[in-house]
Amino acid sequence: MSALFESITLRELTIPNRVWMAPMCQYSAAPEGPLAGAPADWHFAHYAARAAGGTGLIVVEATAVSPEGRISPYDLGLWNDTQVEAFRRITGFLSSQGTVPGIQLAHGGRKASTDQPWKGGAPIGPEAHGWQPVAPSAVPFDERHPVPTELTVERISEIVGQFAAAARRALAAGFEVAEIHGAHGYLVNEFLSPHSNHRTDDYGGSYENRTRFALEVVDAVRAVWPEDKPVFFRISATDWLQDGGWTADDTVRFAGDLHAHGVDLLDVSTGGNASGATIPTGPGYQVPFAARVKAGTPLPVAAVGLITEAEQAQKIIANGEADAVLLGRELLRSPSWARQAARELGGAVRVPDQYHRSV
């Protein structure tokens, strides 16, 4: 059996293989009205195709814990029960195909209130369904973005509660994995990094203070998430800055903290918090960061970043660099990538009866 197609058990949840779908925003929900933030036909078709293609775990795109936590007005959300009902259609189908449904809970922070990327992705105001972003500090992401409102301690506590409430709704919607989005320059990541966190209170300055908000979110989600189901955390392992940013050493240290607070797997990405940072990309360019966490902590990890070939993914798992791979753009191009990789590597995935002629 190919290592890529061995099952993995986290707490009491067994995921049938190590080919997972990374969360990728579709920017396709209604921006306002009774169905704002709710998944629609596009989302169902999008995720259903990857489940039918044999993907072991699908982590549904960044889903906002509040309306102002959306990256764009067109993002998914879990701040009301109408959204819960809409998600059940997706989780039910994924489960019927043997795919584990997961969801990424998120808050956009200072990078919120932007347009759809195919329209340029620029910050937008109230005239285009936008709003005033918030952040740990009144420091804009770049010259295009507005100066965000610095969060008060009371608002920080409120957002922690919103993560917990969204996790409760995710459970009611049928999700089996909850992932906290702590990467790519969004709110949790903004608190972690000294590049974006200039606070002088208990939420800024020292490593312990800058990680406080993230750990409070983890504790709040873990408190409402069942003991037998796993919680993931997605992290940007480095800001890719020479100094003044979050580093790979910080990530290894923080992985130990996350493990102690009940996180079951670290989803290791990089970048997104420092505008203009130079990032040396290439096939598997982020895998070494995942491998370093895996070697230095007891926390399981998933690797991401230009993983496109079956043999490449197989080696990452077989060499012990990661416990799973999360594919992004490659699954957009090839919804049945897992089934094709299984054929190439001699593995096995569930094939829908309707597709039996493709075996």
Side-chain angles (χ1 to χ4, degrees), residues 27-341:
Y27 305 100
S28 298
E32 60 181 16
L35 295 179
D41 287 348
W42 173 265
H43 301 93
F44 179 83
H46 172 63
Y47 292 114
R50 279 78 194 167
T55 308
L57 165 71
I58 289 177
V59 184
V60 168
E61 65 202 80
T63 300
V65 300
S66 66
E68 64 274 12
R70 292 173 292 178
I71 301 165
S72 85
Y74 306 94
D75 284 15
L76 296 180
L78 262 177
W79 64 80
N80 65 45
D81 293 341
T82 298
Q83 295 156 344
V84 171
E85 290 301 317
F87 273 115
R88 282 180 178 150
R89 181 185 179 208
I90 293 173
T91 60
F93 184 83
L94 267 55
S95 296
S96 77
Q97 299 304 304
T99 296
V100 173
I103 189 166
Q104 185 183 72
L105 304 177
H107 192 297
R110 66 178 183 170
K111 292 175 75 174
S113 189
T114 58
D115 206 349
Q116 292 160 309
W118 50 86
K119 295 180 180 177
I124 53 176
E127 74 286 349
H129 310 297
W131 58 92
Q132 170 63 20
V134 299
S137 304
V139 180
F141 175 64
D142 60 20
E143 65 280 355
R144 293 196 312 164
H145 284 70
V147 176
T149 298
E150 183 171 311
L151 288 165
T152 64
V153 172
E154 292 74 21
R155 279 289 290 126
I156 291 172
S157 179
E158 182 181 338
I159 293 172
V160 171
Q162 289 170 341
F163 270 93
R168 288 192 192 94
R169 290 192 176 98
L171 184 64
F175 288 101
E176 300 282 344
V177 174
E179 177 172 276
I180 297 163
H181 197 351
H184 301 158
Y186 301 119
L187 187 63
V188 176
N189 189 191
E190 291 164 18
F191 270 94
L192 292 174
S193 174
H195 177 73
S196 46
N197 184 346
H198 299 177
R199 298 176 74 98
T200 58
D201 62 2
D202 288 346
Y203 289 93
S206 68
Y207 166 88
E208 290 78 10
N209 284 356
R210 286 184 285 105
T211 59
R212 188 183 307 277
F213 173 67
L215 293 177
E216 287 180 352
V217 169
V218 168
D219 289 345
V221 170
R222 187 73 268 178
V224 302
W225 201 248
E227 279 295 314
D228 61 346
K229 298 182 188 299
V231 169
F232 293 2
F233 191 99
R234 183 166 237 200
I235 196 163
S236 282
T238 177
D239 284 340
W240 293 105
L241 295 174
Q242 293 299 315
D243 57 355
W246 183 263
T247 69
D249 288 340
D250 292 328
T251 295
V252 174
R253 180 180 179 183
F254 190 49
D257 296 338
L258 292 170
H259 184 260
H261 282 255
V263 167
D264 301 288
L265 180 137
L266 193 64
D267 172 359
V268 184
S269 187
T270 65
N273 192 45
S275 175
T278 300
I279 302 176
T281 61
Y285 71 103
Q286 295 176 137
V287 174
F289 294 97
R292 184 171 173 186
V293 172
K294 185 169 174 59
T297 76
L299 194 61
V301 298
V304 303
L306 293 180
I307 299 169
T308 60
E309 303 297 329
E311 188 61 37
Q312 175 195 21
Q314 159 77 4
K315 287 181 178 178
I316 291 168
I317 306 302
N319 293 344
E321 296 173 280
D323 299 281
V325 293
L326 283 153
L327 275 63
R329 292 175 178 85
E330 193 61 24
L331 272 174
L332 296 184
R333 290 185 284 263
S334 303
S336 297
W337 190 94
R339 189 161 69 246
Q340 296 162 2

